[in-house]
């Protein structure tokens, strides 16, 4: 059932699958870890940070914020170009390297992304954010077991870090272990620094498990109530369709055996 429902659900709960993050604020709107800003707000943020970048292209915070705003607004190639200059300016900055690696991964350059992140990592003093970023890339290329091992190492450094728990929960989701995914995302969602994206991911998993009432209750607190209801209705329809395909496959198998 999961293999049929998940790709369609990703189209509905966009932030649950995109997992893009930004830093900083613009015009009173927080961009950090948010995928709830409108296209106009994201475009405005990108313009604002772009102006600051033009004035001082070597400022670390400006580089990170501008690249993040570009990524969230869909300008991944430009974000990569900005971060390429950032890693040249800040060669030993692991946050810069992690941001560059994530941008490369978002652009589908998984091997280069892994090389960037692994090169920035220090075995004697491992950085939890780099471990989590590497895990997210491994999940995207289908190596979930290794990804979850890295999330475990990251959590050993920063127990209950919501961003790492979120990645771990989504990793279990991708592997088809909905029960474990729900357990981890519940743990992530109650952390003080948990954001809306994490709670939307929890709603997604609850919906895929068929816990529609609870999923809608969680989603209503994060998105427009009408959209939450529409999302759950969509999931119900897709899961019903998945069940029908399961019945057809079972019937065909029985016919072949007969």
């Amino acid at each position: 059932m999961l293999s049929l429902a998940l790709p369609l659900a990703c189209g509905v709960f966009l932030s649950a699958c995109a997992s893009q993050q930004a830093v900083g604020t613009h015009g009173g709107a927080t961009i950090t870890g948010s995928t709830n800003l409108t296209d106009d707000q994201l475009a405005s943020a990108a313009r604002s940070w772009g102006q600051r970048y033009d004035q001082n292209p070597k400022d670390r915070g400006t580089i990170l914020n501008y690249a993040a705003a570009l990524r969230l607004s869909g300008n991944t190639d430009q974000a990569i170009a900005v971060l390429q200059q950032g890693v040249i300016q800040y060669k030993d900055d692991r946050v810069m390297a992690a941001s560059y690696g994530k941008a490369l991964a978002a652009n589908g350059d998984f091997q280069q992304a892994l090389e960037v992140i692994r090169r920035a990592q220090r075995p004697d003093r491992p950085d939890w954010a780099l471990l989590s970023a590497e895990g997210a890339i491994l999940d995207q290329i289908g190596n979930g077991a290794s990804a979850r091992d890295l999330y475990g190492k990251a959590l050993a450094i920063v127990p209950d870090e919501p961003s790492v728990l979120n990645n771990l929960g989504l990793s279990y989701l991708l592997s088809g272990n909905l029960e474990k995914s729900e357990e981890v995302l519940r743990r992530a969602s109650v952390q003080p620094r948990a954001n809306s994206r994490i709670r939307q991911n929890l709603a997604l998993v609850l919906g895929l498990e068929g816990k529609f009432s609870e999923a809608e209750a969680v989603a209503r607190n994060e998105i427009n109530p009408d959209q939450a209801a529409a999302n759950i209705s969509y999931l119900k329809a897709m899961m019903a369709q998945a069940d029908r395909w399961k019945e057809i496959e079972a019937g065909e198998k029985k016919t072949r055996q007969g």
Side-chain angles (χ1 to χ4, degrees):
M1 181 183 300
L2 177 63
S3 61
L4 290 172
L6 181 57
L8 295 167
C10 285
V12 181
F13 293 88
L14 179 61
S15 65
C17 303
S19 297
Q20 297 189 61
Q21 288 184 301
V23 292
T25 60
H26 171 72
T30 300
I31 303 176
T32 306
S34 174
T35 53
N36 295 325
L37 299 181
T38 67
D39 290 343
D40 287 343
Q41 288 174 320
L42 289 171
S44 178
R47 286 194 299 271
S48 177
W49 285 112
Q51 291 171 359
R52 300 186 196 188
Y53 181 78
D54 289 340
Q55 295 170 0
N56 188 0
K58 295 184 180 181
D59 179 73
R60 178 182 179 275
T62 300
I63 292 170
L64 291 170
N65 278 286
Y66 184 36
L70 288 169
R71 278 186 61 204
L72 280 175
S73 58
N75 298 312
T76 309
D77 287 343
Q78 191 176 353
I80 290 172
V82 170
L83 288 165
Q84 278 180 327
Q85 296 304 311
V87 295
I88 291 173
Q89 296 293 329
Y90 298 91
K91 295 180 180 179
D92 298 322
D93 191 315
R94 294 196 279 183
V95 173
M96 191 71 69
S99 297
Y100 184 37
K102 290 176 184 178
L104 288 167
N107 206 39
D109 300 328
F110 299 117
Q111 190 55 48
Q112 187 180 356
L114 285 173
E115 290 173 2
V116 167
I117 288 176
R118 287 170 175 170
R119 190 163 55 243
Q121 187 64 274
R122 286 177 49 189
D124 61 323
R125 293 283 292 174
D127 181 273
W128 67 267
L130 288 176
L131 290 170
S132 186
E134 182 180 351
I137 295 169
L138 292 177
D139 263 326
Q140 291 180 77
I141 61 176
N143 194 349
S146 295
R148 290 188 289 277
D149 180 62
L150 289 172
Y151 299 141
K153 291 179 179 178
L155 289 169
I157 300 171
V158 283
D160 292 326
E161 165 57 40
S163 64
V164 181
L165 289 171
N166 178 68
N167 284 350
L168 177 59
L170 291 179
S171 182
Y172 281 120
L173 170 61
L174 292 172
S175 73
N177 191 339
L178 294 177
E179 182 178 354
K180 191 66 176 178
S181 178
E182 177 191 344
E183 175 189 328
V184 174
L185 287 171
R186 283 189 185 279
R187 179 179 161 195
S189 68
V190 298
Q191 302 306 317
R193 294 193 299 108
N195 58 25
S196 177
R197 176 169 51 86
I198 293 172
R199 291 183 287 272
Q200 288 183 59
N201 290 344
L202 175 59
L204 168 64
V205 173
L206 290 169
L208 290 172
E209 289 181 298
K211 300 177 180 179
F212 299 116
S213 296
E214 187 176 3
E216 187 171 352
V218 173
R220 279 178 180 275
N221 292 325
E222 307 304 322
I223 57 178
N224 180 284
D226 292 338
Q227 185 61 55
N231 287 351
I232 298 304
S233 295
Y234 194 88
L235 273 176
K236 285 181 178 179
M238 291 305 101
M239 292 180 73
Q241 182 183 18
D243 284 337
R244 178 56 182 156
W245 278 110
K246 191 175 181 180
E247 291 174 5
I248 292 172
E249 290 171 354
E252 290 177 346
K253 183 177 180 181
K254 185 176 181 180
T255 299
R256 288 194 299 270
Q257 291 175 344

